[in-house]
Amino acid sequence: MHRSTSSARSVLAVGAAAALVLLAGCSNSSTSTGTKASATPTLAGDCAPFQAYAGHSGTTVTMFASILSPESDSLQQSWAKFSSCTGIKISYVGSNDFESQLPVRVSGGNAPDLAIIPQPGLLQQMVKTGKVVKPPAATVANEAKWSAVWKTYGSVDGTFYAAPMSANMKSLVWYSPKAFAAAGYTVPTTWADLMSLSDKIAKAGKNKPWCGGIGSGTATGWPATDWLEEVVLGKYGGDVYDKWVSHQIKFSDPQIIDAMNTVQGWMHNSAWVNGGIGNVQSIASTTFQDAGAPILTGKCSMLQQASFYEAQWPKGTKIGPDGDIWAFHLPAANPAITTPVEGGGEFVAAFSSRPEVQAVQNYLSTSDWATSRIKVAPGWVSANQGVDPSVYTDPVDQLSAKYLTDPSATFRFDASDLMPAAVGAGQEWKSFTAWFAQNQSVTKTASDIDAAWPQ
Amino acid sequence: MWADASVKFVNTFGALAGFAGVLLVLFYFGGRAKGRMSRRLAIVILLGPGLLLLVVGLAVPVVRTIYLSLFNDDSSKYLGAGNYTWALQNDDIHQVLLNTLLWIVVAPLVTTGLGLGLALLVDRLRGQAVYKSLIFLPMAISFVGASIIWKFVYDYRDPAQPQIGLLSQICIWLGWSHPPNWILSHPLNNFLLMVVMIWVQTGFAMVVLSAAIKAIPEDVTEAAVLDGARGWRLFAHVTIPMIRSTVIVVLTTVMITTLKLFDIIRTMTGGNFGTQVLANEMYSQAFVEFNVGRGSSLAVLLFLAVLPLVAYNIMLLRKEREVR
């Protein structure tokens, strides 16, 4: 009797402990409050520049993004000094499925403290959930270092929510300086020059002037959306572009149809494409990653692709004005438009207003942090005009930064990233793929996309 | 709002169920010592929390998916059957449903037929274990891996280029100087993609059917042979009836795998060029276009499509058990 009571007691004790563990495991608190110092400490020496962020030692800020290793390693290295000086630990998680996981995490009550969002459309969707917290005043003030249009991309219904963090440039044409020099071609600076150069290369008969590929798994079609965006921006300017993005101007509008016809004459021209790969249709089945390779073998001369295409060139390819590969700015289709630059970027949104979260959010909006990130590794550009251009070591980064920080440039964010996902990440990709794969007409392509616009 | 509440509900329920489970274990031990609790009640109580969790884990997502399918993209507006009407009236979805139907009819029939043929053939050969292993080998490769291999086979390049897919290369050797871009050739591309599924699954069908054939009692075959049955007649009147239920189980298993088809399409075409199927379209709607309502309505349609197949399978297995 005595023995069974004692065994029942020990089982009870183990059971109670297990129940506590279970309860703790099921509770949904992922935030860490840490111990806050009673008075803000004074940071000295190397740490002095971080004084504004002091006073939150021992706290952790969770961050979620789509940036994966090795880029995420560079990112973590860029704030290492900030973390060691302020004592704020940034717990970073990157995911390939960021765009689909973030809404699930936010609606599931498990939002990260900070998220690096690459599409204003997704930011808008997150703001609609009511979970996004407005940034502190200091972050809003830092925004002044970016050209004004960036603020609109971090805003929803006129309220500013997320400061831009990085920027990339799409309006580039990759080519081989060696091949150009050997053939006696010069880099075109106007659309007319670009078109006559294309014609000249085609007539020379040695290769095709252009190569291209729009394959990208379920995102197949996106590079073609960039081609149209470049032409709309370079032909009709920022105002028409903005109205087109908000569907005040439809795809079937004569201006957009005209831009689509320009793309048709450029990338659907069987005499001009698809060097080293095949016919016009082959653009649809070639991945964008593979598209540029024929430039290196001399099968085609040019590829319109973003600055991030730099990473696609094989190891050992010398990239630079005198190298194997280099890039030039895609000229405006209408000479009256000054330096059209289409690009993308990432925005830092907060889902918590804890002081340490605000400190990190604020730090990431400064030119100091941007400079620190640029120094870690190439392949990263900021459009923050407070960044000293001499810190860039990579020629493509230098070229991109030159255009992205140019106050006279007409910068616009990637239109398909701004349009509702059902259009920009759905019907537009599908219809543009059919435009190339089945030679679907421009008018049908445009009307199909208009029909998919959410009512 | 609803999402928050449901997550909190699942969390709280999970915690409470776990806690109740621990307490019940304690009662059970205590009760047994004192001989108060019947064995049957103890089993019910012990299994109860786990069963409840299972029901919650299965029922909550199913109910929530049906609920979400009645709303617009961000669940702010009730649409009723709107997403279903969209699915049934949209030309793209018609193509998706047609492709899915094509897949679930052709792929399982060819896989099972080929598996049966190979089982009959290989069983007559010497060193059948080696052949069987070779045929079964693709089963060890994931659909994604298999898709990448076949993508190289169908790869399209200018025939003047050295990097060219195997299939085009063979065509050129045979004198067809400009073979088509296989991946783009609709509707042929659907069948070319099916080859991947058939290549992976045939080994499975062959092994299962070969085992079923071997399990046919020898006296039955001998009696049939004595009665003069040979060749086709023996196959049609003895072998097939004896392995009928195995054939149906293989067929339905491959059919259900085909209905859930996602990896091959996603890897090879991303659903483009007229090759989209239901599971992949469901993913695109929910997680690429962020229209959870439409994605959920497709998920419900897929669920309804799988249901009769599963029910039929269960019925068959039950019948089999009754016979035994």
Side-chain angles (χ1 to χ4, degrees):
Chain A
M1 184 72 190
H2 182 79
R3 271 184 68 144
S4 80
T5 312
S6 104
S7 81
R9 264 185 201 152
S10 59
V11 169
L12 188 71
V14 172
L20 279 173
V21 169
L22 231 155
L23 278 171
C26 288
S27 78
N28 199 25
S29 66
S30 59
T31 50
S32 147
T33 48
T35 48
K36 196 180 168 184
S38 52
T40 307
T42 308
L43 303 180
D46 275 4
C47 286
F50 300 105
Q51 184 59 47
Y53 316 103
H56 316 294
S57 185
T59 55
T60 300
V61 172
T62 58
M63 186 186 283
F64 187 45
S66 58
I67 305 159
L68 302 172
S69 185
E71 282 79 18
S72 58
D73 304 335
S74 307
L75 210 56
Q76 301 202 53
Q77 217 178 314
S78 73
W79 57 60
K81 187 82 186 156
F82 167 87
S83 274
S84 68
C85 287
T86 59
I88 303 173
K89 188 185 161 206
I90 301 176
S91 167
Y92 178 88
V93 175
S95 166
N96 231 344
D97 291 319
F98 169 81
E99 283 86 352
S100 53
Q101 281 182 12
L102 183 69
V104 174
R105 282 188 62 175
V106 172
S107 65
N110 185 28
D113 292 330
L114 294 171
I116 305 174
I117 299 179
Q119 300 114 345
L122 183 58
L123 172 70
Q124 217 165 53
Q125 194 193 346
M126 291 299 97
V127 169
K128 270 193 200 169
T129 64
K131 304 278 172 64
V132 178
V133 179
K134 281 186 222 161
T139 307
V140 182
N142 287 337
E143 177 61 32
K145 292 266 174 65
W146 294 65
S147 69
V149 71
W150 281 93
K151 193 165 189 175
T152 60
Y153 298 137
S155 304
V156 178
D157 297 332
T159 309
F160 180 62
Y161 283 97
M165 181 180 164
S166 69
N168 57 59
M169 175 166 169
K170 297 214 166 189
S171 314
L172 290 178
V173 175
W174 296 88
Y175 73 106
S176 162
K178 281 180 188 166
F180 264 44
Y185 302 141
T186 48
V187 168
T189 52
T190 66
W191 186 263
D193 285 351
L194 182 67
M195 294 300 116
S196 62
L197 173 67
S198 306
D199 206 33
K200 201 171 161 183
I201 297 172
K203 280 183 178 149
K206 285 184 185 159
N207 66 3
K208 298 268 180 81
W210 293 93
C211 43
I214 62 169
S216 182
T218 34
T220 292
W222 72 258
T225 68
D226 283 1
W227 296 336
L228 178 64
E229 286 155 13
E230 297 285 2
V231 174
V232 171
L233 184 63
K235 206 165 195 181
Y236 293 103
D239 288 346
V240 169
Y241 189 93
D242 294 341
K243 284 181 186 157
W244 173 51
V245 165
S246 59
H247 211 219
Q248 285 168 269
I249 288 179
K250 291 183 174 179
F251 274 80
S252 46
D253 184 277
Q255 295 172 103
I256 308 303
I257 293 284
D258 174 45
M260 285 178 80
N261 283 327
T262 304
V263 175
Q264 178 116 340
W266 167 30
M267 292 306 289
H268 270 258
N269 186 336
S270 57
W272 288 12
V273 295
N274 187 12
I277 300 166
N279 51 12
V280 175
Q281 280 194 324
S282 71
I283 289 178
S285 61
T286 304
T287 63
F288 79 95
Q289 293 98 328
D290 288 345
I295 297 181
L296 289 170
T297 53
K299 301 284 180 193
C300 68
S301 298
M302 295 177 280
L303 170 77
Q304 195 293 310
Q305 255 300 346
S307 57
F308 54 70
Y309 200 79
E310 186 184 5
Q312 300 301 331
W313 299 108
K315 251 190 180 170
T317 308
K318 198 179 160 226
I319 296 169
D322 307 315
D324 307 315
I325 288 292
W326 185 229
F328 61 85
H329 173 247
L330 178 73
N334 171 1
I337 312 289
T338 46
T339 332
V341 175
E342 193 218 344
E346 291 159 326
F347 299 81
V348 183
F351 293 91
S352 158
S353 59
R354 297 198 317 277
E356 62 271 21
V357 176
Q358 295 199 333
V360 175
Q361 189 182 20
N362 194 22
Y363 177 58
L364 294 181
S365 70
T366 62
S367 51
D368 287 346
W369 173 74
T371 307
S372 144
R373 169 62 191 86
I374 293 158
K375 283 180 178 168
V376 174
W380 195 90
V381 178
S382 173
N384 190 317
Q385 289 158 356
V387 173
D388 177 2
S390 69
V391 296
Y392 291 104
T393 52
D394 180 78
V396 178
D397 291 352
Q398 285 167 348
L399 182 74
S400 304
K402 180 184 144 195
Y403 287 101
L404 286 165
T405 55
D406 179 357
S408 68
T410 312
F411 176 84
R412 285 298 183 274
F413 208 91
D414 184 303
S416 53
D417 283 349
L418 294 171
M419 289 173 184
V423 177
Q427 195 61 47
E428 201 183 352
W429 289 350
K430 278 182 213 162
S431 295
F432 278 25
T433 304
W435 185 19
F436 280 89
Q438 289 131 35
N439 204 16
Q440 184 177 274
S441 75
V442 162
T443 45
K444 171 150 175 53
T445 304
S447 63
D448 280 357
I449 302 170
D450 281 332
W453 206 281
Q455 300 302 312
Chain B
M1 263 313 270
W2 206 90
D4 267 12
S6 69
V7 168
K8 276 176 193 154
F9 170 74
V10 172
N11 281 344
T12 317
F13 189 85
L16 285 176
F19 187 54
V22 172
L23 283 181
L24 289 168
V25 171
L26 295 177
F27 274 125
Y28 176 62
F29 281 112
R32 197 173 60 166
K34 289 167 194 170
R36 275 188 215 146
M37 213 171 275
S38 77
R39 187 179 154 80
R40 182 176 263 187
L41 188 62
I43 288 171
V44 170
I45 290 171
L46 279 172
L47 288 179
L51 271 177
L52 270 174
L53 264 181
L54 196 71
V55 169
V56 170
L58 273 175
V60 167
V62 170
V63 171
R64 185 157 157 68
T65 305
I66 296 170
Y67 171 83
L68 284 171
S69 73
L70 306 174
F71 288 81
N72 68 342
D73 55 352
D74 60 356
S75 305
S76 61
K77 197 172 147 197
Y78 178 74
L79 298 179
N83 288 324
Y84 293 93
T85 326
W86 160 82
L88 298 173
Q89 287 177 351
N90 186 295
D91 285 349
D92 285 348
I93 302 298
H94 290 167
Q95 170 83 63
V96 168
L97 293 172
L98 198 70
N99 287 346
T100 312
L101 193 70
L102 190 73
W103 271 84
I104 57 168
V105 171
V106 178
L109 278 177
V110 175
T111 307
T112 314
L114 214 56
L116 183 61
L118 284 168
L120 290 166
L121 187 76
V122 174
D123 280 347
R124 290 163 189 229
L125 297 175
R126 263 194 186 176
Q128 50 172 284
V130 177
Y131 296 114
K132 275 187 185 166
S133 304
L134 282 174
I135 297 166
F136 192 76
L137 210 59
M139 190 72 189
I141 303 172
S142 68
F143 277 133
V144 173
S147 307
I148 292 169
I149 293 170
W150 282 90
K151 226 177 148 178
F152 285 119
V153 174
Y154 301 141
D155 191 25
Y156 174 84
R157 286 285 184 279
D158 192 319
Q161 301 301 314
Q163 322 95 319
I164 192 165
L166 185 67
L167 186 59
S168 295
Q169 194 66 71
I170 292 169
C171 290
I172 291 168
W173 282 336
L174 295 174
W176 188 1
S177 60
H178 276 80
N181 190 339
W182 303 107
I183 289 289
L184 294 180
S185 308
H186 183 76
L188 176 71
N189 51 8
N190 278 296
F191 296 99
L192 292 173
L193 262 59
M194 258 178 231
V195 170
V196 185
M197 160 87 66
I198 295 163
W199 183 68
V200 171
Q201 303 246 70
T202 298
F204 156 76
M206 177 198 68
V207 168
V208 174
L209 292 168
S210 165
I213 293 167
K214 284 195 171 149
I216 298 173
E218 267 181 35
D219 48 356
V220 175
T221 322
E222 276 167 15
V225 171
L226 280 176
D227 286 345
R230 289 258 189 296
W232 169 252
R233 286 188 68 188
L234 185 69
F235 172 72
H237 297 290
V238 179
T239 313
I240 284 291
M242 292 299 281
I243 62 165
R244 195 175 142 266
S245 54
T246 313
V247 170
I248 291 170
V249 167
V250 169
L251 208 59
T252 35
T253 310
V254 179
M255 214 176 252
I256 290 169
T257 313
T258 313
L259 256 177
K260 295 187 295 182
L261 175 73
F262 178 76
D263 334 37
I264 296 174
I265 301 292
R266 188 164 159 79
T267 313
M268 294 189 76
T269 63
N272 289 293
F273 324 128
T275 61
Q276 186 68 305
V277 290
L278 203 50
N280 202 56
E281 179 67 23
M282 181 176 87
Y283 176 87
S284 296
Q285 286 295 336
F287 299 116
V288 178
E289 299 187 24
F290 297 129
N291 200 324
V292 181
R294 286 181 176 179
S296 300
S297 69
L298 294 178
V300 173
L301 289 177
L302 185 63
F303 179 70
L304 292 176
V306 178
L307 216 54
L309 287 174
V310 175
Y312 184 62
N313 220 353
I314 292 172
M315 195 188 76
L316 268 180
L317 290 172
R318 197 173 273 177
K319 238 184 195 172
E320 186 99 325
R321 211 167 44 193
E322 277 165 13
V323 170
R324 279 179 192 168

